[in-house]
Amino acid sequence: MSLSLITILLLLFGTKDAQRTTPDFMMQYFQRQLQVLEGRLIKCELDFQQFSQRMYDMSKEVHGQTGRMNVLRSEVKGQVDTIGMRLDRVERDVEYLHNKIPDTTHVEIEDSLLEHQVKEAKLKKTVIPKDKDCTYELVGIKSLKIVKKAGDANGSWMKDPTKGSAKIYFFSGPTNRTLLAYTSLKSFTEANTTKKTEVIPLPLPWQGTGHVVYNGFVYYHLADTNNEILKVHLSNRTVTDRLLLPGAGRMPAYSLNPHTLLDLAVDEMGLWSIHADSDFGGNLVISKLDHNSLAVEHTWDTNCNSRDAEAAFMICGTLYVAYNSDYGGRSSIKCLYDIHDTIYTESTPELFFPKRYTSHSAFHYHYKDKQLYAWDDGYQTIYKLDIRKKVAA
């Protein structure tokens, strides 16, 4: 307390009384001042807490708005990418239709030249290799042969149809990097095949069950990628080409086979890829690939959905899709798509596989043997197909 304040107190209470009362009075005065200060401190603390809460709420709101902006940015980017992919596909479709539709411009041709062109066309038709003849369609499945039970529940096995070799290629598991090769189907079925088995380590692992062996190369979906396809030389185990397939890998090709995002197939026309497109409600998309360069030659959006599908295969440019149930029922082909529009798909009956209540993880069509190499819950199975000439329109 200052000197002036003490003087005033002495004057007010008197010197004698002030001497008696000053210590108590001063204590009470200090207590009241301390209480006032404490009240102010409490109010400051409350104001600070309210300010901190408002800052926290504002920061939380800003963070939420930033998150929503990031989501919107990703959605817009995805839509832009999808539009770009669609425009690219439309351009390819227009180019395809332009090549298919004859030019209606009137052109006068000399009879002798026209006759020469007809003869030349007939000559070209006669030299088309027999294994490229695509006038056939699947009308039924004749028989079932269970060859062996080996490997994982999911896998695939096949032969290379271009080499005329009897060698069997064996891919076990939905992801791996080592495939096995057997000299023949007989050696594959023998009990002790260790000495006759060729172990082929691949440079990078595969994913799914959609691999194919074609013309001395193995084509497969690279593990831990959405849509990268590798082409690996079987002799020197080197990657010779790779492809990022547009629009693929965002969902399983078949809902009952979730490991397989990309499925590859071979038929009389060459190499194909099959995948499901979420932008088309999960319908399957097929692309014709150049087996030499892995370039996409053309793409078709099919009417076959991936829901309840387990596997598919190609015959003469026609996609055949097998469907089943979650608990493993009897497989049947309920949907097909013919790129040539020469098969009346609406009137095609449902084709049932021989009665066996399991599920398939892979089909591989061998167009020379006219057989289907299937992986059926760990059983290596061969289906003999009933293939006949297409009915002329």
Side-chain angles (χ1 to χ4, degrees), residues 285-298:
V285 176
I286 57 176
S287 299
K288 181 67 181 65
L289 306 180
D290 184 328
H291 70 275
N292 290 315
S293 64
L294 275 188
V296 178
E297 297 178 355
H298 192 75

Side-chain angles (χ1 to χ4, degrees), residues 129-138 159-162 212-215 219 264-274 286-289 291 297 300 312-320 337-340 343 363-372 385 387 390:
K130 187 177 180 181
D131 60 356
K132 299 296 180 183
D133 184 8
C134 273
T135 59
Y136 294 96
E137 63 177 315
L138 176 66
K159 293 199 300 183
D160 185 350
T162 61
V212 295
V213 176
Y214 188 67
N215 200 31
Y219 301 79
L264 299 173
V266 169
D267 70 353
E268 296 84 351
M269 296 180 64
L271 181 65
W272 300 83
S273 72
I274 307 166
I286 57 176
S287 299
K288 181 67 181 65
L289 306 180
H291 70 275
E297 297 178 355
W300 292 264
F313 56 94
M314 301 289 299
I315 296 179
C316 274
T318 300
L319 173 72
Y320 295 88
Y337 181 85
D338 178 20
I339 66 168
H340 306 291
I343 299 177
F363 288 128
H364 290 289
Y365 170 61
H366 194 287
Y367 56 79
K368 291 184 178 179
D369 295 347
K370 296 295 185 286
Q371 295 183 145
L372 202 61
L385 305 179
I387 297 178
K390 295 177 181 179

Side-chain angles (χ1 to χ4, degrees), residues 204-207 210-212 218-223 225-232 239-246 248-249 261-265 271-275 287-291 293-296:
L204 294 166
W206 72 68
Q207 177 175 329
H211 354 284
V212 295
V218 56
Y219 301 79
Y220 62 92
H221 177 200
L222 175 61
T225 67
N226 286 339
N227 59 346
E228 186 166 0
I229 300 173
L230 296 185
K231 176 184 177 182
V232 176
V239 177
T240 60
D241 257 313
R242 57 181 70 208
L243 164 69
L244 293 176
L245 189 65
L261 302 179
L262 278 170
D263 193 11
L264 299 173
L271 181 65
W272 300 83
S273 72
I274 307 166
H275 72 272
S287 299
K288 181 67 181 65
L289 306 180
D290 184 328
H291 70 275
S293 64
L294 275 188
V296 178

Side-chain angles (χ1 to χ4, degrees), residues 325-345:
S325 62
D326 290 326
Y327 55 84
R330 187 179 179 189
S331 303
S332 64
I333 297 171
K334 297 182 180 180
C335 187
L336 59 89
Y337 181 85
D338 178 20
I339 66 168
H340 306 291
D341 291 328
T342 56
I343 299 177
Y344 300 104
T345 57

Side-chain angles (χ1 to χ4, degrees), residues 6-282:
I6 296 173
T7 304
I8 292 170
L9 292 172
L10 289 173
L11 291 173
L12 289 173
F13 295 102
T15 305
K16 187 176 180 178
D17 294 335
Q19 289 176 349
R20 294 194 303 266
T21 60
T22 295
D24 295 336
F25 178 78
M26 291 177 64
M27 288 298 297
Q28 293 175 2
Y29 176 78
F30 281 127
Q31 287 176 356
R32 286 195 297 271
Q33 291 298 319
L34 287 173
Q35 288 174 356
V36 171
L37 290 175
E38 287 177 357
R40 291 178 179 177
L41 286 173
I42 291 172
K43 187 176 183 304
C44 288
E45 186 176 356
L46 291 175
D47 291 342
F48 181 76
Q49 289 177 354
Q50 292 176 356
F51 176 76
S52 299
Q53 183 63 39
R54 285 198 295 271
M55 289 296 295
Y56 174 78
D57 294 339
M58 186 179 297
S59 174
K60 188 176 180 180
E61 184 177 355
V62 170
H63 181 73
Q65 293 289 348
T66 303
R68 283 191 286 273
M69 287 295 295
N70 290 333
V71 171
L72 289 173
R73 187 185 296 111
S74 299
E75 290 178 355
V76 170
K77 184 178 182 302
Q79 291 174 359
V80 170
D81 293 341
T82 300
I83 291 172
M85 183 183 69
R86 297 294 163 235
L87 288 174
D88 182 63
R89 184 174 296 176
V90 168
E91 290 177 359
R92 293 200 303 269
D93 289 342
V94 170
E95 183 179 358
Y96 176 75
L97 291 174
H98 178 73
N99 294 332
K100 287 291 184 180
I101 299 175
D103 190 358
T104 56
T105 305
H106 179 69
V107 179
E108 293 184 359
I109 303 176
E110 291 291 337
D111 291 341
S112 58
L113 179 59
L114 183 61
E115 184 179 351
H116 174 72
Q117 290 177 348
V118 171
K119 288 181 179 179
E120 187 177 12
K122 288 182 178 179
L123 181 61
K124 287 182 179 179
K125 188 175 181 180
T126 58
V127 297
I128 293 176
K130 187 177 180 181
D131 60 356
K132 299 296 180 183
D133 184 8
C134 273
T135 59
Y136 294 96
E137 63 177 315
L138 176 66
V139 297
I141 301 167
K142 293 180 179 179
S143 62
L144 156 71
K145 180 181 180 182
I146 299 175
V147 177
K148 190 175 181 179
K149 186 180 191 304
D152 197 85
N154 298 293
S156 60
W157 69 306
M158 67 211 69
K159 293 199 300 183
D160 185 350
T162 61
K163 293 294 185 179
S165 170
K167 186 175 287 189
I168 296 292
Y169 295 95
F170 184 85
F171 299 77
S172 178
T175 179
N176 204 332
R177 64 184 304 165
T178 302
L179 69 94
L180 305 178
Y182 302 84
T183 56
S184 66
L185 185 63
K186 182 180 179 181
S187 67
F188 174 67
T189 57
E190 290 176 352
N192 186 10
T193 59
T194 305
K195 295 181 179 180
K196 301 177 182 179
T197 304
E198 179 185 1
V199 179
I200 302 177
L202 298 175
L204 294 166
W206 72 68
Q207 177 175 329
T209 58
H211 354 284
V212 295
V213 176
Y214 188 67
N215 200 31
F217 294 86
V218 56
Y219 301 79
Y220 62 92
H221 177 200
L222 175 61
D224 299 323
T225 67
N226 286 339
N227 59 346
E228 186 166 0
I229 300 173
L230 296 185
K231 176 184 177 182
V232 176
H233 199 290
L234 280 174
S235 297
N236 55 30
R237 281 76 153 161
T238 58
V239 177
T240 60
D241 257 313
R242 57 181 70 208
L243 164 69
L244 293 176
L245 189 65
R250 292 180 291 175
M251 63 181 297
Y254 318 107
S255 67
L256 299 183
N257 189 3
H259 302 291
T260 302
L261 302 179
L262 278 170
D263 193 11
L264 299 173
V266 169
D267 70 353
E268 296 84 351
M269 296 180 64
L271 181 65
W272 300 83
S273 72
I274 307 166
H275 72 272
D277 195 330
S278 55
D279 292 337
F280 287 104

